[in-house]
Amino acid sequence: MTRLPQKTEIEAILQNIKTPTGEDIVSAGMVSSFVIREGKIGFALEIPKAANLDATQAESLRMQAETNIKNTFGTEVLVALTGHISPIRIGAREPKNVPPPPTPKPLAGVKRIIAVASGKGGVGKSTVAANLAVAFAQQGLRVGLVDADIYGPSLAKMLGLKEKPEIVDNQMIPPMRHGVKLMSMGLLLDENTPTVWRGPMVSKALTQLFRGAAWGELDILVIDMPPGTGDIHLSIAQNFEVNGVVIVSTPQEVALLDVKKAIGMFEKLHIPILGMIENMSYFETSGTRHYPFGKEGAQNLSKKLGLPFLGQLPIDAAISQGGDSGEPFALKNGIMQQIAAKIV
Ligand code: ADP
């Protein structure tokens, strides 16, 4: 197998690629997020606002980067274009009409869309999304689930699904388990694909997950959002009519700060907040509850912000094991049912 180059060797090649002002793309700070493994090289080409490049110029830099690296090292290369890219200029003139952001188009057959979001990663957002979807299905609803957490798609594992969607009439048929139909990057990509996909590429891939799937009739489509705030949230809000968002947080102060930021973003995007779920609230030994992360932090915050509080989930090995084994704990435990009933 070809020896994989070091980051510095790759950068040395990229220094030969110049922007229209004559600066090379490495010195211009455009190259980041390297992934070098398993015979593949991936990185992001991030265009700063000050560079003022249009889509053709940015794509030309991306192509040069990909070609030069491939030709030098003989490896597979994926360069993801992201950052600030202006609409294509015609000659020296700016186009008069910059297209407005897309207006959301309905998803055929889907009655309601709700998103599950969090201020930061690792708070159990995907766990809640998977269990919530299962709990909805147990209540007799027809449920779909989209894993929009492109950087860490984990829902296929949590639901115990492995098979790639079948393609019929150019549409993907979402595989179903525990009454939930799932679309996830995790089902489409093989495990070694670098996840340096960003910005425009990701938003295209996401649209495929939603609109490239034959969902049939659904009462509810649950979206597992990426953590935090960013382009993907914006793209989903612009392209799909999201009826509401459920926010997941742990009780700590730091997590709560991020939650406030996320809530602010959804308010700006005019997506109603259905309420908050506090995860990892406590653990129980011999009937006594312990609160290692402080008591009722998320509950207090939701009160302060005037948001409905939907419930607490304990720290429980059954919850993580349920996720690892593909048998979500909602199948056996009533807490998630109660939260789902409140949302319904
Ligand atoms: P996020 O989507 O916010 O990044 P995950 O849902 O992937 O978080 O959860 C992170 C890890 O924490 C997983 O291993 C999951 O099984 C575990 N976990 C989540 N909630 C709980 C809980 N209430 N009790 C025990 N483990 C949990």
Side-chain angles (χ1 to χ4, degrees), residues 127-162:
T127 304
V128 169
N131 280 285
L132 203 52
V134 169
F136 284 141
Q138 285 188 314
Q139 297 186 359
L141 299 178
R142 295 164 299 178
V143 185
L145 180 59
V146 172
D147 193 346
D149 194 347
I150 298 275
Y151 303 103
S154 52
L155 291 181
K157 182 161 191 245
M158 286 185 184
L159 288 180
L161 281 168
K162 280 202 192 87

mmCIF file of all heavy atoms in Angstrom, residues 127-162:
data_model
loop_
_atom_site.group_PDB
_atom_site.id
_atom_site.type_symbol
_atom_site.label_atom_id
_atom_site.label_comp_id
_atom_site.label_asym_id
_atom_site.label_seq_id
_atom_site.Cartn_x
_atom_site.Cartn_y
_atom_site.Cartn_z
ATOM 1 N N THR A 127 -29.267 9.540 21.904
ATOM 2 C CA THR A 127 -29.948 8.529 22.720
ATOM 3 C C THR A 127 -31.414 8.922 22.903
ATOM 4 O O THR A 127 -32.320 8.097 22.744
ATOM 5 C CB THR A 127 -29.260 8.435 24.108
ATOM 6 O OG1 THR A 127 -27.884 8.156 23.895
ATOM 7 C CG2 THR A 127 -29.876 7.383 24.984
ATOM 8 N N VAL A 128 -31.632 10.191 23.208
ATOM 9 C CA VAL A 128 -33.011 10.664 23.401
ATOM 10 C C VAL A 128 -33.794 10.591 22.086
ATOM 11 O O VAL A 128 -34.928 10.129 22.062
ATOM 12 C CB VAL A 128 -33.019 12.106 23.969
ATOM 13 C CG1 VAL A 128 -34.408 12.704 23.914
ATOM 14 C CG2 VAL A 128 -32.490 12.104 25.392
ATOM 15 N N ALA A 129 -33.144 10.998 20.977
ATOM 16 C CA ALA A 129 -33.847 10.978 19.687
ATOM 17 C C ALA A 129 -34.293 9.561 19.338
ATOM 18 O O ALA A 129 -35.445 9.333 18.940
ATOM 19 C CB ALA A 129 -32.940 11.538 18.595
ATOM 20 N N ALA A 130 -33.387 8.596 19.512
ATOM 21 C CA ALA A 130 -33.716 7.210 19.174
ATOM 22 C C ALA A 130 -34.835 6.686 20.059
ATOM 23 O O ALA A 130 -35.811 6.071 19.582
ATOM 24 C CB ALA A 130 -32.474 6.332 19.330
ATOM 25 N N ASN A 131 -34.741 6.968 21.356
ATOM 26 C CA ASN A 131 -35.755 6.455 22.284
ATOM 27 C C ASN A 131 -37.093 7.143 22.116
ATOM 28 O O ASN A 131 -38.149 6.525 22.265
ATOM 29 C CB ASN A 131 -35.247 6.583 23.720
ATOM 30 C CG ASN A 131 -34.292 5.466 24.060
ATOM 31 O OD1 ASN A 131 -34.711 4.331 24.268
ATOM 32 N ND2 ASN A 131 -33.008 5.755 24.053
ATOM 33 N N LEU A 132 -37.039 8.419 21.803
ATOM 34 C CA LEU A 132 -38.273 9.153 21.576
ATOM 35 C C LEU A 132 -38.996 8.577 20.356
ATOM 36 O O LEU A 132 -40.213 8.346 20.382
ATOM 37 C CB LEU A 132 -37.914 10.625 21.325
ATOM 38 C CG LEU A 132 -38.965 11.671 21.578
ATOM 39 C CD1 LEU A 132 -39.563 11.525 22.952
ATOM 40 C CD2 LEU A 132 -38.338 13.063 21.435
ATOM 41 N N ALA A 133 -38.223 8.310 19.299
ATOM 42 C CA ALA A 133 -38.823 7.752 18.078
ATOM 43 C C ALA A 133 -39.460 6.399 18.382
ATOM 44 O O ALA A 133 -40.591 6.120 17.964
ATOM 45 C CB ALA A 133 -37.756 7.626 16.996
ATOM 46 N N VAL A 134 -38.748 5.579 19.147
ATOM 47 C CA VAL A 134 -39.289 4.253 19.493
ATOM 48 C C VAL A 134 -40.559 4.406 20.340
ATOM 49 O O VAL A 134 -41.561 3.717 20.130
ATOM 50 C CB VAL A 134 -38.223 3.419 20.241
ATOM 51 C CG1 VAL A 134 -38.822 2.168 20.854
ATOM 52 C CG2 VAL A 134 -37.082 3.058 19.294
ATOM 53 N N ALA A 135 -40.516 5.368 21.289
ATOM 54 C CA ALA A 135 -41.688 5.579 22.151
ATOM 55 C C ALA A 135 -42.893 6.058 21.329
ATOM 56 O O ALA A 135 -44.026 5.612 21.552
ATOM 57 C CB ALA A 135 -41.347 6.583 23.251
ATOM 58 N N PHE A 136 -42.665 6.922 20.358
ATOM 59 C CA PHE A 136 -43.764 7.358 19.478
ATOM 60 C C PHE A 136 -44.348 6.144 18.745
ATOM 61 O O PHE A 136 -45.565 5.990 18.631
ATOM 62 C CB PHE A 136 -43.264 8.358 18.430
ATOM 63 C CG PHE A 136 -43.009 9.753 18.949
ATOM 64 C CD1 PHE A 136 -41.922 10.490 18.492
ATOM 65 C CD2 PHE A 136 -43.870 10.353 19.867
ATOM 66 C CE1 PHE A 136 -41.676 11.779 18.940
ATOM 67 C CE2 PHE A 136 -43.629 11.652 20.332
ATOM 68 C CZ PHE A 136 -42.535 12.359 19.866
ATOM 69 N N ALA A 137 -43.457 5.295 18.241
ATOM 70 C CA ALA A 137 -43.918 4.120 17.476
ATOM 71 C C ALA A 137 -44.735 3.206 18.373
ATOM 72 O O ALA A 137 -45.748 2.638 17.947
ATOM 73 C CB ALA A 137 -42.721 3.369 16.899
ATOM 74 N N GLN A 138 -44.320 3.097 19.643
ATOM 75 C CA GLN A 138 -45.066 2.235 20.563
ATOM 76 C C GLN A 138 -46.455 2.791 20.847
ATOM 77 O O GLN A 138 -47.347 2.067 21.251
ATOM 78 C CB GLN A 138 -44.287 2.070 21.862
ATOM 79 C CG GLN A 138 -43.110 1.122 21.674
ATOM 80 C CD GLN A 138 -42.451 0.797 22.988
ATOM 81 O OE1 GLN A 138 -42.199 1.693 23.784
ATOM 82 N NE2 GLN A 138 -42.196 -0.463 23.219
ATOM 83 N N GLN A 139 -46.594 4.100 20.667
ATOM 84 C CA GLN A 139 -47.922 4.701 20.858
ATOM 85 C C GLN A 139 -48.775 4.591 19.604
ATOM 86 O O GLN A 139 -49.837 5.199 19.516
ATOM 87 C CB GLN A 139 -47.766 6.160 21.267
ATOM 88 C CG GLN A 139 -47.052 6.277 22.591
ATOM 89 C CD GLN A 139 -46.992 7.685 23.131
ATOM 90 O OE1 GLN A 139 -47.475 8.620 22.503
ATOM 91 N NE2 GLN A 139 -46.411 7.835 24.292
ATOM 92 N N GLY A 140 -48.277 3.858 18.621
ATOM 93 C CA GLY A 140 -49.077 3.603 17.432
ATOM 94 C C GLY A 140 -48.873 4.614 16.314
ATOM 95 O O GLY A 140 -49.572 4.573 15.307
ATOM 96 N N LEU A 141 -47.910 5.538 16.486
ATOM 97 C CA LEU A 141 -47.672 6.507 15.421
ATOM 98 C C LEU A 141 -46.754 5.904 14.354
ATOM 99 O O LEU A 141 -45.947 5.022 14.642
ATOM 100 C CB LEU A 141 -47.021 7.773 15.993
ATOM 101 C CG LEU A 141 -47.820 8.540 17.039
ATOM 102 C CD1 LEU A 141 -47.031 9.738 17.544
ATOM 103 C CD2 LEU A 141 -49.148 9.010 16.445
ATOM 104 N N ARG A 142 -46.892 6.406 13.127
ATOM 105 C CA ARG A 142 -45.974 6.002 12.053
ATOM 106 C C ARG A 142 -44.790 6.974 12.081
ATOM 107 O O ARG A 142 -44.981 8.177 11.914
ATOM 108 C CB ARG A 142 -46.693 6.049 10.708
ATOM 109 C CG ARG A 142 -47.824 5.018 10.637
ATOM 110 C CD ARG A 142 -48.771 5.309 9.509
ATOM 111 N NE ARG A 142 -49.409 6.615 9.666
ATOM 112 C CZ ARG A 142 -50.268 7.144 8.805
ATOM 113 N NH1 ARG A 142 -50.593 6.471 7.716
ATOM 114 N NH2 ARG A 142 -50.814 8.323 9.015
ATOM 115 N N VAL A 143 -43.600 6.428 12.339
ATOM 116 C CA VAL A 143 -42.472 7.279 12.706
ATOM 117 C C VAL A 143 -41.278 7.129 11.760
ATOM 118 O O VAL A 143 -40.904 6.016 11.385
ATOM 119 C CB VAL A 143 -41.973 6.923 14.137
ATOM 120 C CG1 VAL A 143 -40.883 7.897 14.580
ATOM 121 C CG2 VAL A 143 -43.115 6.931 15.128
ATOM 122 N N GLY A 144 -40.701 8.253 11.403
ATOM 123 C CA GLY A 144 -39.428 8.264 10.668
ATOM 124 C C GLY A 144 -38.384 8.969 11.509
ATOM 125 O O GLY A 144 -38.718 9.764 12.398
ATOM 126 N N LEU A 145 -37.114 8.663 11.244
ATOM 127 C CA LEU A 145 -36.032 9.277 12.017
ATOM 128 C C LEU A 145 -34.901 9.604 11.044
ATOM 129 O O LEU A 145 -34.496 8.753 10.253
ATOM 130 C CB LEU A 145 -35.566 8.265 13.075
ATOM 131 C CG LEU A 145 -34.435 8.636 14.018
ATOM 132 C CD1 LEU A 145 -34.765 9.878 14.834
ATOM 133 C CD2 LEU A 145 -34.146 7.462 14.973
ATOM 134 N N VAL A 146 -34.439 10.872 11.068
ATOM 135 C CA VAL A 146 -33.300 11.255 10.226
ATOM 136 C C VAL A 146 -32.123 11.587 11.118
ATOM 137 O O VAL A 146 -32.241 12.382 12.041
ATOM 138 C CB VAL A 146 -33.622 12.485 9.337
ATOM 139 C CG1 VAL A 146 -32.357 12.975 8.637
ATOM 140 C CG2 VAL A 146 -34.675 12.139 8.315
ATOM 141 N N ASP A 147 -30.996 10.960 10.832
ATOM 142 C CA ASP A 147 -29.773 11.212 11.583
ATOM 143 C C ASP A 147 -29.030 12.348 10.888
ATOM 144 O O ASP A 147 -28.298 12.129 9.934
ATOM 145 C CB ASP A 147 -28.931 9.927 11.556
ATOM 146 C CG ASP A 147 -27.799 9.957 12.549
ATOM 147 O OD1 ASP A 147 -27.500 11.049 13.052
ATOM 148 O OD2 ASP A 147 -27.226 8.883 12.810
ATOM 149 N N ALA A 148 -29.271 13.582 11.357
ATOM 150 C CA ALA A 148 -28.612 14.737 10.732
ATOM 151 C C ALA A 148 -27.308 15.065 11.447
ATOM 152 O O ALA A 148 -26.664 16.051 11.145
ATOM 153 C CB ALA A 148 -29.545 15.942 10.749
ATOM 154 N N ASP A 149 -26.945 14.226 12.406
ATOM 155 C CA ASP A 149 -25.672 14.395 13.113
ATOM 156 C C ASP A 149 -24.588 13.777 12.232
ATOM 157 O O ASP A 149 -24.040 12.722 12.515
ATOM 158 C CB ASP A 149 -25.759 13.695 14.479
ATOM 159 C CG ASP A 149 -24.614 14.100 15.396
ATOM 160 O OD1 ASP A 149 -23.646 14.709 14.893
ATOM 161 O OD2 ASP A 149 -24.683 13.802 16.586
ATOM 162 N N ILE A 150 -24.293 14.496 11.120
ATOM 163 C CA ILE A 150 -23.436 13.972 10.058
ATOM 164 C C ILE A 150 -22.043 13.602 10.563
ATOM 165 O O ILE A 150 -21.424 12.671 10.087
ATOM 166 C CB ILE A 150 -23.285 15.052 8.950
ATOM 167 C CG1 ILE A 150 -24.632 15.353 8.341
ATOM 168 C CG2 ILE A 150 -22.261 14.673 7.925
ATOM 169 C CD1 ILE A 150 -25.035 14.441 7.252
ATOM 170 N N TYR A 151 -21.561 14.353 11.557
ATOM 171 C CA TYR A 151 -20.185 14.120 12.019
ATOM 172 C C TYR A 151 -20.080 12.892 12.911
ATOM 173 O O TYR A 151 -19.026 12.308 13.042
ATOM 174 C CB TYR A 151 -19.651 15.355 12.751
ATOM 175 C CG TYR A 151 -19.722 16.573 11.883
ATOM 176 C CD1 TYR A 151 -20.707 17.526 12.072
ATOM 177 C CD2 TYR A 151 -18.820 16.737 10.842
ATOM 178 C CE1 TYR A 151 -20.785 18.635 11.249
ATOM 179 C CE2 TYR A 151 -18.895 17.833 10.015
ATOM 180 C CZ TYR A 151 -19.868 18.784 10.222
ATOM 181 O OH TYR A 151 -19.960 19.869 9.409
ATOM 182 N N GLY A 152 -21.176 12.528 13.558
ATOM 183 C CA GLY A 152 -21.117 11.337 14.414
ATOM 184 C C GLY A 152 -22.409 10.560 14.329
ATOM 185 O O GLY A 152 -23.156 10.452 15.297
ATOM 186 N N PRO A 153 -22.712 10.016 13.129
ATOM 187 C CA PRO A 153 -23.993 9.325 13.001
ATOM 188 C C PRO A 153 -24.006 8.057 13.850
ATOM 189 O O PRO A 153 -23.168 7.195 13.678
ATOM 190 C CB PRO A 153 -24.085 8.992 11.503
ATOM 191 C CG PRO A 153 -22.692 9.056 10.987
ATOM 192 C CD PRO A 153 -21.893 9.923 11.912
ATOM 193 N N SER A 154 -24.931 7.971 14.807
ATOM 194 C CA SER A 154 -24.902 6.815 15.705
ATOM 195 C C SER A 154 -26.254 6.111 15.775
ATOM 196 O O SER A 154 -26.404 5.110 16.457
ATOM 197 C CB SER A 154 -24.495 7.282 17.104
ATOM 198 O OG SER A 154 -25.319 8.366 17.512
ATOM 199 N N LEU A 155 -27.247 6.637 15.055
ATOM 200 C CA LEU A 155 -28.596 6.088 15.234
ATOM 201 C C LEU A 155 -28.771 4.685 14.657
ATOM 202 O O LEU A 155 -29.554 3.904 15.179
ATOM 203 C CB LEU A 155 -29.630 7.033 14.615
ATOM 204 C CG LEU A 155 -29.793 8.354 15.367
ATOM 205 C CD1 LEU A 155 -30.837 9.219 14.711
ATOM 206 C CD2 LEU A 155 -30.172 8.109 16.816
ATOM 207 N N ALA A 156 -28.019 4.369 13.594
ATOM 208 C CA ALA A 156 -28.160 3.031 13.010
ATOM 209 C C ALA A 156 -27.781 1.989 14.073
ATOM 210 O O ALA A 156 -28.490 1.008 14.288
ATOM 211 C CB ALA A 156 -27.262 2.900 11.789
ATOM 212 N N LYS A 157 -26.693 2.270 14.760
ATOM 213 C CA LYS A 157 -26.239 1.349 15.810
ATOM 214 C C LYS A 157 -27.275 1.298 16.935
ATOM 215 O O LYS A 157 -27.622 0.232 17.443
ATOM 216 C CB LYS A 157 -24.892 1.838 16.335
ATOM 217 C CG LYS A 157 -24.312 0.935 17.375
ATOM 218 C CD LYS A 157 -22.825 1.168 17.537
ATOM 219 C CE LYS A 157 -22.255 0.058 18.378
ATOM 220 N NZ LYS A 157 -21.746 0.479 19.638
ATOM 221 N N MET A 158 -27.763 2.477 17.330
ATOM 222 C CA MET A 158 -28.689 2.506 18.464
ATOM 223 C C MET A 158 -29.983 1.749 18.172
ATOM 224 O O MET A 158 -30.618 1.231 19.076
ATOM 225 C CB MET A 158 -29.024 3.952 18.827
ATOM 226 C CG MET A 158 -27.873 4.638 19.532
ATOM 227 S SD MET A 158 -28.327 6.278 20.083
ATOM 228 C CE MET A 158 -26.766 6.836 20.744
ATOM 229 N N LEU A 159 -30.389 1.739 16.895
ATOM 230 C CA LEU A 159 -31.609 1.000 16.556
ATOM 231 C C LEU A 159 -31.313 -0.431 16.114
ATOM 232 O O LEU A 159 -32.219 -1.202 15.847
ATOM 233 C CB LEU A 159 -32.366 1.715 15.430
ATOM 234 C CG LEU A 159 -33.071 3.019 15.795
ATOM 235 C CD1 LEU A 159 -33.765 3.587 14.582
ATOM 236 C CD2 LEU A 159 -34.083 2.810 16.914
ATOM 237 N N GLY A 160 -30.022 -0.767 16.012
ATOM 238 C CA GLY A 160 -29.665 -2.127 15.600
ATOM 239 C C GLY A 160 -29.864 -2.350 14.115
ATOM 240 O O GLY A 160 -30.237 -3.443 13.684
ATOM 241 N N LEU A 161 -29.604 -1.305 13.299
ATOM 242 C CA LEU A 161 -29.767 -1.445 11.844
ATOM 243 C C LEU A 161 -28.403 -1.429 11.166
ATOM 244 O O LEU A 161 -27.540 -0.628 11.519
ATOM 245 C CB LEU A 161 -30.605 -0.291 11.300
ATOM 246 C CG LEU A 161 -32.107 -0.404 11.500
ATOM 247 C CD1 LEU A 161 -32.783 0.916 11.190
ATOM 248 C CD2 LEU A 161 -32.693 -1.517 10.639
ATOM 249 N N LYS A 162 -28.236 -2.310 10.176
ATOM 250 C CA LYS A 162 -26.958 -2.343 9.466
ATOM 251 C C LYS A 162 -27.140 -2.217 7.965
ATOM 252 O O LYS A 162 -26.294 -1.687 7.272
ATOM 253 C CB LYS A 162 -26.252 -3.679 9.746
ATOM 254 C CG LYS A 162 -25.552 -3.716 11.078
ATOM 255 C CD LYS A 162 -24.467 -4.790 11.088
ATOM 256 C CE LYS A 162 -23.966 -5.040 12.488
ATOM 257 N NZ LYS A 162 -24.753 -6.033 13.246
#
